[in-house]
Amino acid sequence: MGVVEGLLALALVLNVVVVSNGGKSSLFVRKVKKTVDMPLGSDVFSVPPGYNAPQQVHITQGDLVGRGMIISWVTMDEPGSSAVRYWSEKNGKKKTAEGKMVTYRFFNYSSGFIHHTTIKNLEYNTKYYYEVGLGNTTRQFWFVTPPEIGPDVPYTFGLIGDLGQSFDSNITLSHYELSPRKGETVLFVGDLSYADNYPNHDNVRWDTWGRFTERSVAYQPWIWTAGNHEIDFAPEIGETVPFKPYSHRYHVPYEASQSTSPFWYSIKRASAHIIVLSSYSSYGKYTPQYKWLEEELPKVNRSETPWLIVLMHSPWYNSYNYHYMEGETMRVMYEAWFVKYKVDVVFAGHVHAYERSERVSNIAYNVINGLCIPVKDQSAPVYITIGDGGNLEGLATNMTEPQPEYSAFREASFGHAIFDIKNRTHAHYSWNRNQDGLAVEADHVWFFNRYWYPVDDSTAYVSH
Ligand SMILES: *[C@@H]1O[C@H](CO)[C@@H](O)[C@H](O)[C@H]1NC(C)=O
Ligand SMILES: *[C@@H]1O[C@H](CO)[C@@H](O)[C@H](O)[C@H]1NC(C)=O
Ligand SMILES: *[C@@H]1O[C@H](CO)[C@@H](O)[C@H](O)[C@H]1NC(C)=O
Ligand SMILES: *[C@@H]1O[C@H](CO)[C@@H](O)[C@H](O)[C@H]1NC(C)=O
Ligand SMILES: *[C@@H]1O[C@H](CO)[C@@H](O)[C@H](O)[C@H]1NC(C)=O
Ligand SMILES: *[C@@H]1O[C@H](CO)[C@@H](O)[C@H](O)[C@H]1NC(C)=O
């Protein structure tokens, strides 16, 4: 492979790409260094000072339309108060919302006191301050509510997946926080703490992850998707309830979209309708998730929310030799719906690398016709794998060869992405690798809305 070696040498200087069947495999060469978790004493894990001080503060959308926020935090010394005091920058009038407190045990670990309080009927497009830890050590944070839902409302989503708590995770988060495109909400595609990689799933690593991410998620909502590292199913140590730590710590507003489970639900935010699915809950015909999605998709009103975005953990289209075809059974169940309802984009994680597909579908197959090759389809979503947050398991570098035609761009580097909605027809999408400067977009493309502007937006190199 002399040609490839030659290109590799060039790639040391520039971001050179190899043109294959369809898309490009970037040959950006990063320093190959082992991915290691930040030690327990790291600055990012420090415990806030003061008696019973709230820690691991995190927020997520708390209703269907963006006028509510779920505020969560943990206290360690005593239960303390679950109340949140909040006020808007506009009028400063203080209000208090009551919440609830939960605890759980996992093997020999006992959680702190986990508080979840939903504040509702917030004004759109307004900065709010909030205080937690009332009666003991209080801490104050703030967030900005989204604009009122509407078809041409610009809004900027960050995309992060498979984050973990390694030194690379910290670089990914810092890079996202300082991005000149200023993400307003994170769409998180699953695999949060990777505590389950520690002996007995040491849940202390759930606490450290909560303290590490607080600097972002206390100030802007992260929309949660459950990944395989949230399952925490460990019958060998007597832990047989899946998702126990995750579902005690991270609450989502699933009931607002008539879901019966926190693992699949939807929200509307600005000009987007976001559907979160669970790769690790049953999704076959007649199951609760299937019935919910079947009823959910017809409810999407593109006049109100032109952008239809789906989040899941395990990708349907993935050309790396990792988790290969793990998303296949769910694809078989739901892909025809995604084409019918013209989903704009599907974000997934799981594979620790980056990949963006062309608009393709593979829905012609039935058991007798043998049609099983993905075809170009302008009604289909673009599939993006963004599982490159930086967790301790390291990068997925082994790709299937040749690169399949549907794969537009792939690269094994850590990073994050930004989906920057401009209006009902255009969204600018970009992916940043951690090694670059803040403004460098290693992959970027304009998305044309499938409902309002369904012109061909494929980016493929011509096949040869
Ligand atoms: C839990 O058990 C492990 C293994 O026996 C031990 O190392 C650890 O110190 C224990 N943790 C607690 C909180 O008891
Ligand atoms: C901590 O706050 C709770 C709730 O307000 C209160 O009941 C408790 O007395 C406080 N603890 C101390 C030591 O002040
Ligand atoms: C994590 O990143 C922050 C912000 O860049 C930095 O201040 C901190 O020292 C980093 N911590 C570690 C352990 O890398
Ligand atoms: C869809 O949204 C538009 C704009 O808000 C509204 O006028 C219309 O009635 C909605 N359609 C349905 C079927 O609810
Ligand atoms: C890449 O994955 C393939 C398929 O699993 C395997 O046969 C091959 O040995 C792997 N290559 C490397 C360098 O690990
Ligand atoms: C939508 O946004 C795109 C990109 O900024 C712009 O080129 C286009 O003119 C906008 N459309 C309208 C109707 O403003």
Side-chain angles (χ1 to χ4, degrees), residues 254-442:
Y254 65 96
E255 287 149 317
S257 54
Q258 280 79 53
S259 169
T260 49
S261 160
F263 310 121
W264 58 88
Y265 63 102
S266 73
I267 59 161
K268 304 184 213 181
R269 199 164 181 85
S271 44
H273 190 118
I274 296 157
I275 294 179
V276 178
L277 295 180
S278 175
S279 303
Y280 306 102
S281 305
S282 50
Y283 44 76
K285 199 160 181 180
Y286 317 118
T287 61
Q289 184 167 208
Y290 181 101
K291 290 180 84 163
W292 177 82
L293 184 61
E294 186 178 34
E295 282 171 24
E296 172 68 11
L297 285 165
K299 288 186 201 162
V300 179
N301 182 346
R302 304 297 271 271
S303 299
E304 189 187 36
T305 50
W307 295 93
L308 177 52
I309 300 173
V310 177
L311 312 181
M312 62 180 67
H313 187 61
S314 187
W316 292 356
Y317 286 93
N318 156 37
S319 74
Y320 287 81
N321 274 320
Y322 297 82
H323 304 305
Y324 190 60
M325 287 185 68
E326 280 182 24
E328 188 64 6
T329 49
M330 191 195 234
R331 184 190 69 73
V332 169
M333 292 313 300
Y334 296 155
E335 188 180 19
W337 289 349
F338 283 20
V339 175
K340 176 176 177 194
Y341 291 100
K342 298 184 164 51
V343 171
D344 289 292
V345 57
V346 176
F347 292 104
H350 203 34
V351 178
H352 301 156
Y354 172 68
E355 184 164 27
R356 172 173 57 80
S357 81
E358 296 295 347
R359 295 193 182 278
V360 287
S361 67
N362 189 1
I363 54 177
Y365 178 71
N366 61 42
V367 131
I368 51 172
N369 68 10
L371 301 173
C372 55
I373 293 174
V375 292
K376 291 209 164 179
D377 186 342
Q378 288 297 317
S379 294
V382 168
Y383 293 89
I384 293 175
T385 301
I386 185 80
D388 55 347
N391 71 80
L392 80 167
E393 292 173 352
L395 279 168
T397 49
N398 186 343
M399 303 170 183
T400 62
E401 299 293 353
Q403 184 171 11
E405 260 190 72
Y406 70 74
S407 170
F409 186 100
R410 54 184 191 176
E411 179 178 320
S413 292
F414 293 131
H416 74 276
I418 302 265
F419 195 76
D420 190 359
I421 296 173
K422 302 295 187 188
N423 52 39
R424 75 182 69 192
T425 55
H426 286 62
H428 184 273
Y429 167 77
S430 53
W431 173 70
N432 294 69
R433 70 166 80 82
N434 286 355
Q435 289 84 352
D436 292 334
L438 294 173
V440 179
E441 296 174 347

Side-chain angles (χ1 to χ4, degrees), residues 69 131 215 324 333 408:
M69 200 71 92
E131 264 176 14
R215 69 183 202 239
Y324 190 60
M333 292 313 300

Side-chain angles (χ1 to χ4, degrees), residues 74-131:
V74 179
T75 51
M76 290 295 191
D77 301 317
E78 60 164 295
S81 169
S82 295
V84 174
R85 189 185 295 137
Y86 64 101
W87 61 96
S88 83
E89 189 181 49
K90 284 181 188 159
N91 67 23
K93 201 172 142 238
K94 294 198 172 164
K95 292 184 181 174
T96 306
E98 296 296 332
K100 55 173 183 255
M101 189 274 290
V102 295
T103 60
Y104 73 93
R105 287 185 58 82
F106 193 94
F107 185 54
N108 64 356
Y109 167 92
S110 300
S111 75
F113 307 98
I114 307 169
H115 304 264
H116 300 284
T117 303
T118 305
I119 57 183
K120 287 184 174 156
N121 300 316
L122 303 172
E123 269 183 75
Y124 283 121
N125 224 355
T126 301
K127 183 168 184 178
Y128 280 88
Y129 294 92
Y130 68 97
E131 264 176 14

Side-chain angles (χ1 to χ4, degrees), residues 22 31 97 138 168 220 228 234 262 285 311 337 432:
K31 205 153 88 193
T138 59
D168 293 292
Q220 61 170 247
N228 55 303
K285 199 160 181 180
L311 312 181
W337 289 349
N432 294 69

